[in-house]
Amino acid sequence: MQSVLSIAVDALAYGMVLFVISIGLSMTMGLMRVVNLAHGAFAMVGGYLASYAVRDLGVGYVAAVVLAVAGTVVIAAPIERLLYRRIYNKPELIQVLMTIGITFCVIGIANYLFGPTLKTIPLPEMLSGPVDLGFRSIAAHKLFAIVCGLAVAAALWYLVERTPFGVKLRASVDNAPMAAALGVRTKSVYAASFAIAVGLAAFGGIVGAELLPIEPYYALRYMVTFLVVVSVGGAGSIGGALLACLVLGAVDTTGRYLVPEYGEFFFYLAVIAIVCAFPRGLLGRA
């Protein structure tokens, strides 16, 4: 029973970290129609900035998270305006080449500025110890990751489905020329959506640093993982991304606990099975 609970907690925490990072990619791919392979690079930038703020500047953890997320969005804003706007509505191959080039540039700059070493983000005392739930103890940072994932899912669903901005975003996606004719500033909507996606990537990179360590080739190491989550869940689907992360997190964590010598075999086996059964993703739309 202890092993089952440990697997369940680790799987849920891992799944929620994947969700917080990947949901931004799901937005850019499903709602903005951009294959953004540089998404993981922005998660890495957030982790690097948070590590620098806490370790070198002595900033508190919460303040470091806020500064790192804001800093990542500020860095990404001119990139969106100068580069990403050139590939909106362009063929997927052009988007892939552009964004993977951005990824390598970000990796090179990060290595030059911060050095080619693993970056840690020291946790505050309240997140570094265990939390006693009565029937067992759980690492506080894992519980924090789970709560953050649920909060992000609820907030993002409300933003997209229940706010005027969400209406404008969905209108811009379905028919951008008509939305523009009706007075919707589609470029501003896309810029705001991109900023939200980048901010979520940075936030996920920070919150998940204990499970997905921030290192020089983070963006490349987890690029396929983030893409897989979006494909399995269905691009643009918040519920699909959440379900995909929970399922794949459970499969991957269980496999690593029980048969660690197989590595990620069961993770990708589950991906193949799900994609064969649901070509558009678990909750993807036509």
Side-chain angles (χ1 to χ4, degrees), residues 34-39 42 79-88 90-106:
V34 176
V35 183
N36 183 18
L37 297 187
H39 189 76
F42 294 116
I79 297 177
E80 188 275 338
R81 186 173 183 82
L82 297 175
L83 298 178
Y84 278 87
R85 289 192 184 183
R86 299 175 183 270
I87 61 174
Y88 290 155
K90 296 294 184 180
E92 286 81 0
L93 180 59
I94 293 177
Q95 296 176 351
V96 167
L97 293 176
M98 171 74 83
T99 55
I100 201 168
I102 293 172
T103 298
F104 281 110
C105 289
V106 170

Side-chain angles (χ1 to χ4, degrees), residues 20-21 39 42-47 65 68-70 72-73 197-207:
V20 175
I21 299 176
H39 189 76
F42 294 116
M44 184 182 78
V45 170
V65 171
V69 171
T72 305
V73 172
V198 168
L200 288 173
F203 182 64
I206 299 166
V207 171

Side-chain angles (χ1 to χ4, degrees), residues 6-60:
S6 295
I7 292 173
V9 170
D10 287 352
L12 187 56
Y14 178 56
M16 286 302 181
V17 168
L18 285 182
F19 171 76
V20 175
I21 299 176
S22 301
I23 189 58
L25 179 59
S26 182
M27 286 181 61
T28 55
M29 288 183 64
L31 299 180
M32 299 171 63
R33 304 290 193 267
V34 176
V35 183
N36 183 18
L37 297 187
H39 189 76
F42 294 116
M44 184 182 78
V45 170
Y48 268 73
L49 292 179
S51 176
Y52 178 76
V54 176
R55 297 178 63 86
D56 298 313
L57 300 182
V59 176

Side-chain angles (χ1 to χ4, degrees), residues 16 19-20 23 147-159 238 242:
M16 286 302 181
F19 171 76
V20 175
I23 189 58
V147 172
C148 287
L150 294 174
V152 166
L156 199 55
W157 176 86
Y158 183 81
L159 176 68
I238 298 173
L242 180 59

Side-chain angles (χ1 to χ4, degrees), residues 226-257:
F226 302 149
L227 284 172
V228 160
V229 168
V230 175
S231 300
V232 170
S237 172
I238 298 173
L242 180 59
L243 181 59
C245 289
L246 293 177
V247 171
L248 296 178
V251 171
D252 190 42
T253 303
T254 302
R256 291 179 184 276
Y257 262 89

